[in-house]
């Protein structure tokens, strides 16, 4: 049985954009790949350090995963590879295993990448891309902000040249303070100067170059190469002045050659320990990646397919696992650079992989004298751009509930660690959704004089009638909120008014589940016992189709109206006895 070409293009997006690939696209992609490669070499080394892994694993995780995404991914500009947050989560997951042998640590990281990739592929096969919607933006922003602070703090030990640790902000800061007396002055000088230089590169280098007559595009390339310049200068200084003998820690020997062929460890106990971290890394990585991809695609009026993105990221992580890497996802900073550099297709990622491969083959001997402090400075400058404490102010001004979610995620991540923070973030997001939908907005509405429109009686000057109550339900009805609606209606009708009719206006009700159906049937009976007729208006077609398969419409004491104005015409008293209610 052969697949139809359209289905093949859906499963292999490379067949879609590859049909029209030409010299123009190749030129743009090669230029973008050159810029991203320059940026990715020091970043990949640094993020491997952050993950507690050998430096070469960062390079390995930046080769085959990029090619896999170019084949299976749908974003034209997403740059896949090691990223800060996933590296931190990898470090936390591997750290819990208590491994001391570097080989075992590397194999565990590869196994984690394999499990993450398999989970993403399974989600893609089941079309579960919508799961990303269950993580609210405030919670994700809070988690990334807290992670950025944790990452930056964790790298201070390399800037100071001390042996300190800790899984939470409090532990890390306390350990740093304890070891301050052991600060290595030479290491501090390197770390502080590189950090200051990289901050200046981000903000001041390009304007200075342009002001001195450098073409803007060249100035942009030179700015992106700032970390490479820092790496080169500190390597030369360490080698020339033998700074290693003064206590400056260096990367040491980095294996030269092709990425090794590696397989996941088939150990049930290890898989059980890594199962939850793999799921969390998959979900967070997917959400971060899709957010970046959608933002960049919208700028060019393109679109991505979330379900296929799961396949692309899953294949990338499987590729990392099989070639000595560790979990990867789409990175924000590199993707923006790739976009700004003019990348036209995912082929830019494949070209970047070639550049990283050449670096792994020919440049690794040069990295021997690279100070760890330089990589730590690269990480600090990169992750501090992720920290956005203004989200707290914005959330507070907009919604107390969202503020509580952001604040809780940040505090839990900083005080209890990454896994607890992200798990709490997921639970908070789902909890917020359930809380908000379990208490749907219900508005009592009246007729706007001289029109056929109905508005909230507390916000507008409208006509109402004592015997007729119209309630607009602004949420789908399901098991979590049906009882709330029943209680709301019964509370409203237990008053001194001579109420004879209740109309549920349902323009925003997209679904009614079985529990809600039974609640409506019970509400109909209870209102009938009180001598009140229940009516429905503006029921959507798909919802009406479901109701026709049940007994509610047969037993309904009132009618179903196509529009709320028809209900008003049928139920309002002919005499102008309506009153006006104004807010």
């Amino acid at each position: 049985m052969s697949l139809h070409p359209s289905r093949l293009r859906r499963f292999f997006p490379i067949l879609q954009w590859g049909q029209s690939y030409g010299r123009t696209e190749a030129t743009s992609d090669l230029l973008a790949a050159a810029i991203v490669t320059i940026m990715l070499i020091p970043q990949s080394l640094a993020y491997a350090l952050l993950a507690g892994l050998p430096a070469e694993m960062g390079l390995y995780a930046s080769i085959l995963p990029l090619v896999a995404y170019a084949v299976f991914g749908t974003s034209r500009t997403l740059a896949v590879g090691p990223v800060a947050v996933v590296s931190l989560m990898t470090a936390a997951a591997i750290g819990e295993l208590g491994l001391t042998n570097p080989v075992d640590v590397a194999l565990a990281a590869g196994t984690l990448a394999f499990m993450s990739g398999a989970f993403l592929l399974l989600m893609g096969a089941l079309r579960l891309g919508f799961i990303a919607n269950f993580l609210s933006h405030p919670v994700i922003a809070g988690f990334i902000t807290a992670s950025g602070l944790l990452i930056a703090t964790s790298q201070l030990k390399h800037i100071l040249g001390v042996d300190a640790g800790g899984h939470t902000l409090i532990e890390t800061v306390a350990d740093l303070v304890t070891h301050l007396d052991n600060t290595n002055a030479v290491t501090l000088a390197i770390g502080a100067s590189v950090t200051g230089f990289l901050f200046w590169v981000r903000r001041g280098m390009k304007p200075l170059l342009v002001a001195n007559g450098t073409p803007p595009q060249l100035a942009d390339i030179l700015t992106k190469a700032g970390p490479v310049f820092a790496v080169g200068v500190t390597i030369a200084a360490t080698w020339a002045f033998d700074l290693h003998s003064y206590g400056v820690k260096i990367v040491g020997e980095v294996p030269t050659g092709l990425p090794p062929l590696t397989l996941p460890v088939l150990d049930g106990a290890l898989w059980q320990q890594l199962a939850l971290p793999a799921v969390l890394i998959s979900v967070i990585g997917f959400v971060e990646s899709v957010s970046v991809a959608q933002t960049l695609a919208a700028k060019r009026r393109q679109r991505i397919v979330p379900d296929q993105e799961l396949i692309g990221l899953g294949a990338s992580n499987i590729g990392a696992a099989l070639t000595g890497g560790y979990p990867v996802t789409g990175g924000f900073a590199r993707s923006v650079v790739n976009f700004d550099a003019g990348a036209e297709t995912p082929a830019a990622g494949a070209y970047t992989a070639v550049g990283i491969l050449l670096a792994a083959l020919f440049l690794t001997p040069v990295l021997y004298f690279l100070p760890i402090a330089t990589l730590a400075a690269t990480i600090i400058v990169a992750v501090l751009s992720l920290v956005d404490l203004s989200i707290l102010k914005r959330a507070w001004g907009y919604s107390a509930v969202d503020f509580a979610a952001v604040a809780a995620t940040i505090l839990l991540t900083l005080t209890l660690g990454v896994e607890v923070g992200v798990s709490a973030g997921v639970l908070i997001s789902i909890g917020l959704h359930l809380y908000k939908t379990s208490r749907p907005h219900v508005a009592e509405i009246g007729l706007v004089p001289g029109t056929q429109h109905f508005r909230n009686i507390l916000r507008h000057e409208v006509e109402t009638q004592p015997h007729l109550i119209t309630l607009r339900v602004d949420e789908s009805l399901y098991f979590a909120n049906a009882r709330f609606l029943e209680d709301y209606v019964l509370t409203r009708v237990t008053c001194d008014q001579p109420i004879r009719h209740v109309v549920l206006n349902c323009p925003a009700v997209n679904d009614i589940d079985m529990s809600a159906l039974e609640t409506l049937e019970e509400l109909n009976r209870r209102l009938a016992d009180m001598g009140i007729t229940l009516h429905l208006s503006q029921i959507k077609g798909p919802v009406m189709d479901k109701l026709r398969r049940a007994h509610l419409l047969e037993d309904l004491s009132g009618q179903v109206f196509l529009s709320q104005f028809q209900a008003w015409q049928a139920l309002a008293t002919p005499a102008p006895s309506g009153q006006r209610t104004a807010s």
Side-chain angles (χ1 to χ4, degrees):
M1 176 177 156
S2 60
L3 285 175
H4 191 274
S6 62
R7 296 194 66 186
L8 273 176
R9 285 193 293 271
R10 181 163 66 85
F11 293 129
F12 300 94
I14 188 175
L15 299 178
Q16 187 173 5
W17 57 262
Q19 286 182 329
S20 57
Y21 196 75
R23 181 177 299 178
T24 302
E25 290 80 9
T27 302
S28 298
D29 288 343
L30 283 169
L31 176 60
I35 296 173
V36 174
T37 301
I38 291 171
M39 182 181 184
L40 183 55
I41 290 174
Q43 274 195 355
S44 62
L45 298 170
Y47 290 150
L49 169 70
L50 173 60
L53 302 170
E56 64 269 16
M57 290 188 71
L59 293 175
Y60 300 157
S62 305
I63 300 175
L64 187 58
L66 279 66
V67 177
Y69 185 82
V71 174
F72 296 101
T74 59
S75 171
R76 299 294 182 98
T77 54
L78 187 69
V80 173
V83 300
V85 173
V86 170
S87 297
L88 177 64
M89 296 177 71
T90 299
I94 302 301
E96 293 293 327
L97 301 177
L99 302 175
T100 55
N101 188 330
V103 175
D104 292 337
V105 170
L107 288 174
T111 303
L112 183 61
F114 183 86
M115 294 175 66
S116 177
F119 182 72
L120 287 166
L121 288 175
L122 177 62
M123 289 176 64
L126 297 177
R127 301 198 174 199
L128 298 179
F130 66 89
I131 284 181
N133 299 330
F134 285 96
L135 276 173
S136 69
H137 173 72
V139 166
I140 288 295
F143 172 71
I144 291 177
T145 291
S147 297
L149 292 172
L150 272 180
I151 292 168
T153 306
S154 71
Q155 296 308 298
L156 291 177
K157 63 182 180 183
H158 299 302
I159 300 294
L160 298 173
V162 299
D163 292 322
H167 297 290
T168 68
L169 184 66
I170 296 174
E171 292 177 358
T172 304
V173 171
D175 212 22
L176 283 172
V177 172
T178 303
H179 290 85
L180 275 179
D181 293 341
N182 300 326
T183 299
N184 183 287
V186 180
T187 300
L188 178 59
I190 293 173
S193 59
V194 172
T195 303
F197 170 73
L198 292 179
F199 273 121
W200 173 77
V201 164
R202 286 201 164 208
R203 298 184 179 182
M205 184 175 178
K206 184 176 180 179
L208 180 65
L209 291 174
V210 172
N212 284 278
T214 306
Q217 189 172 17
L218 178 59
D220 191 57
I221 294 174
L222 293 175
T223 299
K224 300 296 188 300
V228 175
F229 179 75
V231 166
V233 170
T234 53
I235 287 176
T238 304
W239 170 75
F241 300 105
D242 192 22
L243 299 182
H244 182 45
S245 64
Y246 292 91
V248 175
K249 295 182 179 179
I250 57 176
V251 169
E253 184 176 355
V254 178
T256 299
L258 296 171
L261 177 62
T262 54
L263 295 173
V265 178
L266 300 179
D267 183 336
L270 177 65
W271 280 56
Q272 186 175 0
Q273 288 178 283
L274 293 179
L276 179 60
V279 171
L280 295 177
I281 286 173
S282 300
V283 173
I284 292 296
F286 172 63
V287 171
E288 182 180 356
S289 178
V290 166
S291 299
V292 176
Q294 287 177 332
T295 300
L296 297 179
K299 291 183 178 182
R300 292 184 179 175
R301 297 189 178 184
Q302 298 170 346
R303 62 183 295 271
I304 66 165
V305 182
D307 291 330
Q308 185 61 32
E309 284 299 289
L310 287 166
I311 301 295
L313 293 174
S316 295
N317 277 280
I318 295 294
L322 297 179
T323 54
Y326 70 100
V328 298
T329 192
F332 177 77
R334 286 197 303 274
S335 297
V336 171
V337 169
N338 197 37
F339 179 90
D340 291 341
E344 293 289 341
T345 72
Y351 297 149
T352 300
V354 173
I356 300 297
L357 178 62
L358 293 175
L361 288 173
F362 302 110
L363 296 183
T364 51
V366 180
L367 301 175
Y368 183 90
F369 288 101
L370 175 60
I372 298 294
T374 299
L375 296 180
T378 302
I379 293 173
I380 290 173
V381 174
V383 301
L384 285 182
S385 64
L386 302 176
V387 176
D388 180 20
L389 293 175
S390 66
I391 186 68
L392 289 168
K393 181 180 179 181
R394 297 198 306 272
W396 176 258
Y398 184 74
S399 167
V401 174
D402 285 332
F403 171 80
V406 175
T409 304
I410 291 176
L411 288 175
L412 289 171
T413 303
L414 292 178
T415 57
L416 297 179
V418 177
E419 287 191 8
V420 173
V422 70
S423 300
V426 173
L427 294 177
I428 289 171
S429 293
I430 296 174
L432 282 176
H433 172 72
L434 292 175
Y435 174 77
K436 291 176 179 177
T437 57
S438 68
R439 301 175 62 85
H441 180 258
V442 179
E444 186 170 342
I445 58 176
L447 178 66
V448 178
T451 73
Q452 297 183 12
H453 301 292
F454 291 79
R455 294 292 184 269
N456 192 329
I457 66 171
L458 300 179
R459 293 177 175 271
H460 301 273
E461 191 170 310
V462 294
E463 295 179 2
T464 63
Q465 295 204 342
H467 72 285
L468 172 62
I469 298 297
T470 301
L471 301 175
R472 188 187 69 223
V473 184
D474 294 334
E475 184 69 64
S476 293
L477 298 177
Y478 71 117
F479 63 91
N481 63 16
R483 183 57 59 85
F484 174 87
L485 176 64
E486 181 183 16
D487 292 342
Y488 187 97
V489 173
L490 294 176
T491 300
R492 177 62 185 86
V493 300
T494 53
C495 62
D496 296 332
Q497 286 182 264
I499 300 173
R500 299 198 305 273
H501 301 284
V502 171
V503 181
L504 293 183
N505 180 232
C506 305
V509 177
N510 297 314
D511 187 38
I512 297 176
D513 75 355
M514 193 73 178
S515 297
L517 175 66
E518 292 177 356
T519 300
L520 289 176
E521 291 173 342
E522 178 61 24
L523 179 62
N524 181 54
R525 286 191 291 268
R526 295 184 66 176
L527 289 176
D529 292 341
M530 299 167 67
I532 300 173
T533 305
L534 177 64
H535 307 269
L536 303 175
S537 70
Q538 287 186 257
I539 300 292
K540 292 186 175 180
V543 178
M544 182 61 76
D545 292 340
K546 293 180 68 174
L547 294 181
R548 288 194 180 104
R549 297 195 292 269
H551 297 288
L552 176 63
L553 298 183
E554 298 174 8
D555 300 333
L556 189 66
S557 58
Q559 305 177 55
V560 178
F561 296 98
L562 183 63
S563 70
Q564 180 54 37
F565 187 69
Q566 286 183 355
W568 177 269
Q569 288 180 312
L571 303 175
T573 55
S577 58
Q579 65 182 18
R580 291 198 175 192
T581 307
S583 59

